[in-house]
Amino acid sequence: MTEIIGQIAAALTTVSFLPQAIKTIRTKNTGGISLTMYIILCTGMLLWLVYGIRIQNKPIIYANSVTSVFALIVLIYKVKNLLKNR
């Protein structure tokens, strides 16, 4: 039962990043997104991924692998927009 709860939680938190990533890719607009927040978020997710690998927990590994990609996409667009608007 605990494993199922973990899998559901991982799926929901991963899917929650998809709308922001899609919107950012479509509009290229990152004006309302905090750079600091996304840097901290991406760092935290990558550390969760390392943690999941170390304890061999598949829900943590899968969720943070996919979510890191979504968040890094948004972060890359944010940095590109900041550099472009200098």
Side-chain angles (χ1 to χ4, degrees):
M1 184 62 163
T2 301
E3 188 72 18
I4 292 170
I5 292 169
Q7 290 171 353
I8 293 169
L12 291 173
T13 56
T14 299
V15 170
S16 74
F17 277 87
L18 196 53
Q20 184 67 62
I22 290 170
K23 182 177 181 180
T24 301
I25 292 166
R26 284 186 180 157
T27 66
K28 312 273 191 283
N29 182 354
T30 59
I33 295 172
S34 166
L35 176 62
T36 304
M37 180 268 200
Y38 263 85
I39 290 171
I40 293 168
L41 179 68
C42 288
T43 302
M45 280 189 282
L46 292 171
L47 290 172
W48 270 113
L49 176 58
V50 170
Y51 173 76
I53 292 168
R54 291 188 55 92
I55 66 167
Q56 299 178 353
N57 183 290
K58 289 180 183 177
I60 293 174
I61 294 168
Y62 297 149
N64 287 286
S65 296
V66 175
T67 308
S68 291
V69 171
F70 295 156
L72 286 169
I73 288 169
V74 174
L75 181 60
I76 289 167
Y77 274 99
K78 179 65 177 179
V79 171
K80 283 173 125 177
N81 285 340
L82 287 173
L83 293 174
K84 183 174 76 172
N85 294 327
R86 279 188 151 180

